[in-house]
Amino acid sequence: MKYGIDNLIGIMEDFTKGVQRSRQAEAEAIKRYNSDTAQKEVDSLRDSLKQFAKKQAGYFEQQISETIDTVQKDQESSKYLSDAGFANAVKIISSGGEKLAGDVIRALVRPYMDDYVARRSVAAILSQQGRDPQSVGIADTVDALSILEGVKRDSVFTFFAGDTGADLPMSSAPSVIVHNLNRAAAILEGTYDADAITI
């Protein structure tokens, strides 16, 4: 995956596995030892888990910041504005896009949908013609950068959920974080399918 999103998913998966291993070890300690020894073992495991969570949170914070910076820079420029193929696709859509079938438009613009500026340009043309960009697979209303910024905000709670005791937003659950990372990756790679991947 682009922009280090695969690293972010890997960090989240490692964290989830670590939490599961720690919880399983706690349950085994409670079964195996008398209450005093078991409590000491559980306390030790929880301290280790806190250290592990802190380390994973640091890795995640560094990578998500780098990812967001890279995506921001990438969205400020376009790979295809001077590309003859893209210019041709825009000309075809502009001069008769309202008469083209959705799958024809999709095939025409598919090679360029990994570029934010190209995606927004095509979506604007289709919208002006009264067509829904999403009907041809262009995620005009979904912004990868906004998703990544939301992941960064919500992940603050993810790694320390056990420490707070407070009700945490569902958006901070590891499975939701991974889902949102996959959505952002699909948008950035130009493979987002609004019908297949729901919010």
Side-chain angles (χ1 to χ4, degrees):
M1 285 181 201
K2 294 168 77 172
Y3 305 101
I5 292 177
D6 52 344
N7 295 337
L8 290 166
I9 291 172
I11 292 167
M12 196 58 63
E13 289 173 347
D14 289 346
F15 173 70
T16 302
K17 289 175 188 172
V19 169
Q20 290 169 346
R21 283 192 300 270
S22 181
R23 299 290 186 242
Q24 186 177 6
E26 282 183 31
E28 289 172 8
I30 290 169
K31 287 180 189 174
R32 188 177 318 140
Y33 302 115
N34 66 40
S35 60
D36 289 340
T37 306
Q39 188 58 51
K40 287 178 186 174
E41 183 71 18
V42 166
D43 290 343
S44 174
L45 288 166
R46 288 184 180 169
D47 286 342
S48 294
L49 181 59
K50 283 180 187 178
Q51 293 305 314
F52 174 68
K54 186 176 181 180
K55 187 169 80 170
Q56 294 299 100
Y59 293 153
F60 195 89
E61 174 66 29
Q62 179 181 352
Q63 181 64 62
I64 192 76
S65 294
E66 290 173 13
T67 297
I68 288 171
D69 288 345
T70 304
V71 170
Q72 280 177 325
K73 288 176 188 164
D74 197 39
Q75 289 187 354
E76 290 170 1
S77 62
S78 175
K79 297 182 254 185
Y80 303 118
L81 283 184
S82 59
D83 183 273
F86 179 66
N88 191 38
V90 167
K91 185 176 180 180
I92 292 168
I93 294 168
S94 297
S95 62
E98 67 273 359
K99 295 176 185 157
L100 294 174
D103 57 340
V104 172
I105 293 175
R106 191 175 298 120
L108 191 61
V109 300
R110 171 67 75 196
Y112 312 106
M113 290 301 97
D114 65 331
D115 181 76
Y116 177 77
V117 175
R119 194 168 52 247
R120 297 293 295 182
S121 299
V122 172
I125 293 166
L126 292 174
S127 294
Q128 282 179 333
Q129 295 172 347
R131 294 190 75 159
D132 178 15
Q134 244 177 321
S135 69
V136 295
I138 299 173
D140 182 40
T141 59
V142 184
D143 177 29
L145 190 56
S146 298
I147 293 170
L148 292 169
E149 288 169 343
V151 164
K152 182 177 182 179
R153 179 194 63 237
D154 294 336
S155 67
V156 170
F157 301 110
T158 304
F159 297 98
F160 305 104
D163 295 344
T164 63
D167 290 334
L168 299 175
M170 186 62 172
S171 56
S172 68
S175 60
V176 175
I177 296 284
V178 169
H179 171 76
N180 283 329
L181 289 170
N182 281 316
R183 284 178 60 224
I187 292 166
L188 292 167
E189 293 169 0
T191 59
Y192 181 80
D193 182 349
D195 295 327
I197 303 173
T198 57
I199 296 173

